[in-house]
Amino acid sequence: MSSSDVFPPVQEEVTRLAGLPEVRSAFGRFRHEEPQFAQWQMEVSRVAAPPFAETHRAEWLAHRFREIGLAEVEIDGVGNVFGVRPGYGKRFVSLSAHIDTVFPATTPLNIHQQGTRLYGPGVSDNGAGIAAMLAVASVLGGSRIPHALPFVFIGNVGEEGEGDLRGMRRVFETPRWRDSIAYSIIVDGAGSDTVVAEALGSRRFEVIARGPGGHSWSDFGAPNPIIVLSRAIQSFTETPVPASPKTTFNIGIIRGGTSVNSIPESASMRVDLRSTSMHEIDRLERALRIALDHAMDAENRPAATRATRRPHTVQCEVVEIGNRPAGELAHNSHLLKVIRAVDAHLGNTAQVQRASTDANIPLSLGREAIAIGGGGSGGGAHTLQEWFDCAGRDLGLRRILLTMLALSGLGE
Ligand SMILES: [Zn+2]
């Protein structure tokens, strides 16, 4: 981002906020209290939170929210944790971090520290986001920084994979929050060098083809589900996709059959469609369904002409297993002006990116939302070799705090 993008009144406000004695002392605490932040990060990473089983971690977080003095701490029906720092207005600025991980319950959570580095599954994604949220909430709690709009801190479930953003979806289906959250800041992973302001949409399907099955020799000619899927894959993957808006597809899993000398009774595949444009996702879904229809036709028609004692057709069932809406933050939105002004003030270089995050939900509803990192640096997300380096975390924390304060406005 170049400084020419910065909107002067917002820039002045950010500079003024950053110069307030209370804000400067909060910045100091971000440096001095780093050992506590690293401690929280390791502790939370040791509490398993596989998709759909985030309860223990939600309880851990609710305890921390109460300890650091947040008000109205509660866990909702799907396991999202809320805590409020009151202000004067009715609209909220939210700071959220997903608490789920990609790791199954059986994964050994060997979390350890060496120097400034933390190691272990989930330590960065999203241990770093949770630690940043707690750091900002706790430093605000011990300060007299005034702000107009209240803040809501949310540890939400269901961001990863088949969680399908169900935590954030629930937040924005709940009237209290749907009608009040004006700005959403989502902290996901490490770093200070990105702003996700474009929501990459995706739609995922499991396709199950079922047929009569049979013996490879005596029932030869019976329609074969594996062949139906293969034909469909062949023609679907020839569907042209535009470079812009970037649109992609993948067949990620294919399964089926029982033995080499059996015509299978069933076969299945998983398909992932992605785009920044909902229109392109719809178009790809239609192409997939047409490819399946043609493939069934091609396999069933000749089989129907043969007389055997079994039913003759393969049928396909298409089950939607994921749906993340696309959307993007308007170029002239207030939130984008604020984060740019904050980055200019901090001398931080960040790039606007497109990704699939919790921000998809508010962005698809036309709300202002961004996803950013929790500072420091990290790598190996979604692997057992995941790491996070705490060095320089305070830059990310200052960035989050200044953004929240500038969005909230100063209560004077
Ligand atoms: Zn994440």
Side-chain angles (χ1 to χ4, degrees):
M1 286 176 216
S2 76
S3 53
S4 64
D5 291 333
V6 170
F7 193 62
V10 176
Q11 190 67 70
E12 279 164 29
E13 173 66 359
V14 167
T15 306
R16 191 180 70 81
L17 285 169
L20 293 173
E22 298 92 335
V23 175
R24 293 161 64 110
S25 107
F27 287 180
R29 288 184 57 194
F30 283 150
R31 279 194 309 279
H32 299 134
E33 294 174 23
E34 171 53 39
Q36 169 71 79
F37 309 152
Q39 194 56 43
W40 278 330
Q41 189 167 347
M42 288 195 292
E43 247 180 77
V44 73
S45 303
R46 289 185 183 119
V47 183
F52 301 95
E54 301 101 335
T55 318
H56 292 301
R57 193 174 280 198
E59 282 160 3
W60 181 93
L61 187 60
H63 281 297
R64 300 293 86 68
F65 275 4
R66 288 194 187 97
E67 267 173 14
I68 61 183
L70 292 180
E72 299 175 60
V73 175
E74 60 169 30
I75 301 180
D76 74 8
V78 297
N80 295 318
V81 187
F82 298 82
V84 168
R85 179 176 158 91
Y88 304 103
K90 286 210 175 66
R91 301 190 313 151
F92 280 84
V93 176
S94 80
L95 182 68
S96 67
H98 73 83
I99 62 172
D100 58 312
T101 70
V102 295
F103 302 100
T106 50
T107 308
L109 298 176
N110 171 27
I111 311 292
H112 57 283
Q113 181 168 21
Q114 271 179 312
T116 59
R117 282 203 172 200
L118 314 179
Y119 294 90
V123 79
S124 178
D125 181 14
N126 194 21
I130 298 166
M133 177 171 68
L134 284 172
V136 170
S138 75
V139 164
L140 270 171
S143 83
R144 290 195 309 277
I145 298 177
H147 53 91
L149 298 189
F151 297 144
V152 56
F153 297 88
I154 308 171
N156 62 279
V157 300
E159 193 271 343
E160 300 284 4
E162 284 153 36
D164 207 26
L165 309 181
R166 77 184 206 290
M168 196 50 89
R169 228 182 275 271
R170 171 60 74 92
V171 171
F172 280 90
E173 282 164 6
T174 304
R176 173 169 191 205
W177 302 119
R178 182 193 60 212
D179 301 338
S180 71
I181 295 176
Y183 302 105
S184 304
I185 302 165
I186 285 127
V187 199
D188 199 343
S192 312
D193 53 352
T194 58
V195 179
V196 175
E198 295 173 35
L200 174 58
S202 67
R203 205 170 291 162
R204 292 169 180 174
F205 298 99
E206 167 126 28
V207 180
I208 307 137
R210 295 186 182 87
H215 190 279
S216 62
W217 172 258
S218 55
D219 296 313
F220 180 67
N224 183 321
I226 288 182
I227 294 177
V228 167
L229 291 191
S230 307
R231 287 184 194 273
I233 291 169
Q234 160 71 21
S235 63
F236 169 67
T237 54
E238 282 168 4
T239 310
V241 288
S244 173
K246 186 172 176 183
T247 302
T248 66
F249 54 74
N250 184 48
I251 315 289
I253 295 179
I254 182 157
R255 281 193 267 252
T258 51
S259 73
V260 68
N261 56 350
S262 302
I263 298 167
E265 286 178 56
S266 73
S268 67
M269 65 175 174
R270 289 192 167 195
V271 187
D272 177 43
L273 314 179
R274 294 179 181 236
S275 181
T276 48
S277 152
M278 291 307 272
H279 176 79
E280 287 300 322
I281 293 179
D282 288 340
R283 190 178 63 84
L284 277 184
E285 180 182 342
R286 278 196 301 277
L288 174 65
R289 289 179 185 275
I290 290 169
L292 287 166
D293 284 345
H294 288 173
M296 283 186 281
D297 249 23
E299 183 69 2
N300 289 336
R301 215 181 316 110
T305 64
R306 290 184 201 101
T308 73
R309 59 199 188 299
R310 290 162 171 276
H312 301 300
T313 62
V314 166
Q315 296 301 325
C316 289
E317 185 187 356
V318 180
V319 181
E320 188 181 277
I321 54 170
N323 189 351
R324 298 175 176 231
E328 64 186 327
L329 192 57
H331 192 70
N332 60 356
S333 64
H334 185 57
L335 181 46
L336 214 42
K337 284 176 191 155
V338 166
I339 187 80
R340 284 186 159 129
V342 167
D343 281 332
H345 176 80
L346 296 173
N348 185 44
T349 312
Q351 285 185 335
V352 174
Q353 288 190 347
R354 172 194 300 155
S356 176
T357 69
D358 279 323
N360 283 48
I361 299 297
L363 285 173
S364 73
L365 297 170
R367 301 296 175 86
E368 297 201 9
I370 51 172
I372 58 181
S377 53
H382 299 193
T383 75
L384 300 180
Q385 284 73 44
E386 194 167 344
W387 59 273
F388 175 81
D389 196 325
C390 305
R393 189 207 300 267
D394 66 303
L395 170 64
L397 300 181
R398 282 182 281 148
R399 188 177 185 228
I400 294 168
L401 180 64
L402 272 181
T403 303
M404 292 176 75
L405 294 175
L407 290 170
S408 166
L410 197 59
E412 289 170 289

